[in-house]
Amino acid sequence: VLVEWALQPPTLQVLRPIDILLTTIHTVFPPKFGCPGHGYFAKWTSIKLEDVRKGSQPDDDKLTKGIRKLRFFLHPDKLPRDLTAEQAFMCKMLWDITSDAFEEHKKWSEKLV
């Protein structure tokens, strides 16, 4: 998941921008990467890149709204109880990756102001 989706090529040393991760997260939900599927993941409505950007740059208000939607969807208390350990781990990993990327975005945004 990290190499295929989250890390920025070519060096794979930093996370991709949060707007890219948020709009492509549906591509890594189970049944990807050998993790068994679950009907819960089909309920996610993907977010379009235009929905989190103003022009070519991320729009902080729209991005925050999208992150809230994702956090609600991946929150451990909101997940179905019948997820396998592997599916729950995938949700935790996606939560951690997107949280780290959002924190990086906020730090970068503060430096610009």
Side-chain angles (χ1 to χ4, degrees):
V1 172
L2 281 173
V3 173
E4 294 289 325
W5 172 72
L7 296 177
Q8 183 81 30
T11 62
L12 304 176
Q13 298 295 315
V14 295
L15 290 173
R16 292 180 192 265
I18 186 60
D19 56 329
I20 301 299
L21 295 177
L22 185 60
T23 57
T24 60
I25 195 163
H26 64 282
T27 65
V28 293
F29 282 150
K32 300 291 184 191
F33 304 108
C35 185
H38 191 282
Y40 179 72
F41 300 106
K43 295 177 183 178
W44 173 256
T45 305
S46 60
I47 299 171
K48 297 181 184 122
L49 198 54
E50 308 87 61
D51 294 341
V52 293
R53 284 189 171 181
K54 187 184 289 183
S56 64
Q57 296 298 317
D59 180 281
D60 286 340
D61 292 335
K62 292 178 181 180
L63 198 55
T64 301
K65 187 176 180 180
I67 290 295
R68 281 190 194 131
K69 176 183 173 183
L70 179 64
R71 286 184 175 168
F72 184 80
F73 187 78
L74 292 178
H75 194 280
D77 292 340
K78 303 294 180 191
L79 294 174
R81 300 289 178 222
D82 64 341
L83 289 182
T84 66
E86 194 174 9
Q87 292 164 334
F89 177 76
M90 177 72 86
C91 290
K92 168 124 178 56
M93 186 168 41
L94 295 174
W95 172 287
D96 291 343
I97 290 168
T98 53
S99 293
D100 290 349
F102 189 54
E103 289 302 316
E104 286 297 316
H105 170 77
K106 290 194 308 189
K107 281 188 221 174
W108 180 80
S109 295
E110 290 171 2
K111 288 180 182 179
L112 291 178
V113 176

